[in-house]
Each structure stands twice: as C-alpha cells, then as structure tokens.
C-alpha cells in the first residue's frame, strides 16, 4: 500500500498562473480531504468529498476547485494563483467507522 | 458549527518529565475526537482517537487522552517524554452526523529538552 500520495512535492507559481495538485489513495477510502497549513497555524479544510461524484466546501474554498471522478483520485485546482495561496497543502483520506485520517506528505506551494 | 482550542501554543519540557497538552472543543452535537502528531516536514499521523465507550483512550508511543464531556475537553498526556516526542500536536473534532468534515486546532509545539 502506498497510502496517500501527492504530487508535486514543491512548486513555484507566478501570480495569475493555474495548476492542479494531484492526490491519490489506494486504501479504498470513501472520504477525501484537502487542507492548507499556513506557518504556525493548524489545518484549514478547503474541500472534502464523501464519495465519487460528491464534493463539498470546507472552511476556505475560495480560489480552489475540486472534482472526484473516481474513489482513488481527488485533484485540487488552483485558478489565478495569488500570493495568499502560498501554503503547504495536505491531502487526506478516511473511511467509516473509524474516520481516522491518513495524510499525504504535502505539497509546498509558493506564489510570487 | 464546531471549534477547537488548543490552550498552549508551545510546551517546553525536560526529558523524562510528564506532559499534558490541553484541548477544548465546542460543538452542539456529539463528536468524535482525535489527536494527531506532525514531525518536521511530514504529514500528520494519528496518535489516538475517541469514538465512544471508555473515556480514557490509549494511543501510540505511550500517549493517552481523556474525554471529558462536561468540560468539553480532550487533553493529551504522557507520563515520561523522550527527545523523539518533539513535534507539533493537533487536536481535531468531527461531528458524528457529518464525520466527513473535521476541524483542527492551531497546534501545540512540544519541545523536549535533554
């Protein structure tokens, strides 16, 4: 089992560019999540999904989009990158009944 | 709506001393509670969780936590810490009726000194 994988590990974007952060899990988890972690702060939920084809907004969804066409993949799309989106992004997955979240290694994104 | 407050942003302790990291939460419904640990430049991993049953839960690496419903707290404890316990610790809560949506505290940095 690879668990939760994220690509890329690092990325530098110019203001206004777009990109997709990839996330995949091989544990057959129905729940998947995207978080951002700013320095010295906790995790803020961006979007989450309770199954293929079902997504919902979290606490900080503005500037991001997601899709979930398969159980395994949950990509996060940044449109028109802004400096405020400089952060570390974590993808996670979980399943009933324990709801323990398994995290990927993160993507460090810098927007300049 | 739910919220999590970790009462200490930084906790320095000496090796082999006991430690308590405090977490209070607010929710209008029943919740699941979690503690996660994050080592430098890594993702988070689960230390322990409370879903139901006994209010004292034991986790990995000798950590334990007690769920106190009346005080809406879920404090993390370890009787004797090691240098390797130096890390960031996060408390998290999920509503039982919407367990897909979790709220995390801002984290507590535990620094264990020799």
């Amino acid at each position: 089992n690879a668990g939760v994988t994220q690509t890329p590990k690092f990325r530098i974007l110019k203001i206004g560019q777009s990109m997709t952060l990839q996330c995949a899990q091989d544990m057959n988890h129905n729940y998947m999540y995207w978080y951002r972690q700013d320095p010295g702060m906790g995790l803020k939920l961006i979007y989450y999904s309770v199954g293929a084809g079902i997504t919902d907004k979290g606490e900080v969804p503005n500037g991001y989009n997601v899709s979930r066409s398969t159980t395994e993949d949950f990509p996060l799309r940044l449109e028109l990158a802004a400096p405020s989106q400089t952060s570390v992004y974590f993808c996670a997955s979980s399943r009933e009944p324990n709801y323990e979240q398994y995290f990927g290694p993160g993507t460090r994104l810098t927007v300049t | 709506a739910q919220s999590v407050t970790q009462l200490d942003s930084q906790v320095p302790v000496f090796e082999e001393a006991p430690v308590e990291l405090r977490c209070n939460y607010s929710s209008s419904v029943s919740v699941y509670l979690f503690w996660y640990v994050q080592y430098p430049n890594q993702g988070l991993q689960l230390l322990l969780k409370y879903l139901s049953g006994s209010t004292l839960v034991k986790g990995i690496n000798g950590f334990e936590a007690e769920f106190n419903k009346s005080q809406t707290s879920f404090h993390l404890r370890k009787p004797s810490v090691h240098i390797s316990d130096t890390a960031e610790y996060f408390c998290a809560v999920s509503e039982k009726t919407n367990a897909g949506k979790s709220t995390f505290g801002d984290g507590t940095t535990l620094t264990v000194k020799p």
Side-chain angles (χ1 to χ4, degrees), chain A residues 3-54:
Chain A
V4 179
T5 58
Q6 292 183 238
T7 55
K9 286 187 168 51
F10 304 93
R11 183 72 185 268
I12 299 174
L13 279 183
K14 294 190 185 304
I15 294 172
Q17 287 184 322
S18 301
M19 76 165 294
T20 299
L21 281 65
Q22 301 291 344
C23 174
Q25 53 92 9
D26 61 359
M27 297 173 283
N28 201 31
H29 286 174
N30 50 328
Y31 293 92
M32 294 189 75
Y33 316 82
W34 273 106
Y35 296 93
R36 58 176 289 171
Q37 184 180 32
D38 298 325
M41 304 291 288
L43 278 71
K44 304 295 183 189
L45 183 64
I46 305 171
Y47 272 94
Y48 69 104
S49 169
V50 300
I54 307 170

Side-chain angles (χ1 to χ4, degrees), chain B residues 32-102:
Chain B
Y32 299 124
L33 293 155
F34 306 86
W35 275 100
Y36 290 86
V37 61
Q38 184 181 33
Y39 299 104
N41 299 314
Q42 294 186 26
L44 281 69
Q45 57 184 278
L46 183 73
L47 268 181
L48 48 77
K49 59 182 179 281
Y50 172 78
L51 303 182
S52 65
S54 173
T55 57
L56 182 64
V57 292
K58 295 187 184 298
I60 62 172
N61 300 339
F63 284 93
E64 63 181 31
E66 185 153 20
F67 170 54
N68 188 318
K69 188 175 181 180
S70 62
Q71 296 186 9
T72 61
S73 67
F74 191 53
H75 301 333
L76 180 70
R77 301 185 184 101
K78 186 170 183 178
S80 176
V81 294
H82 303 292
I83 299 287
S84 59
D85 292 323
T86 295
E88 189 83 10
Y89 292 79
F90 292 95
C91 181
V93 60
S94 299
E95 294 181 358
K96 288 187 178 181
T97 53
N98 188 12
K101 196 169 181 178
S102 297

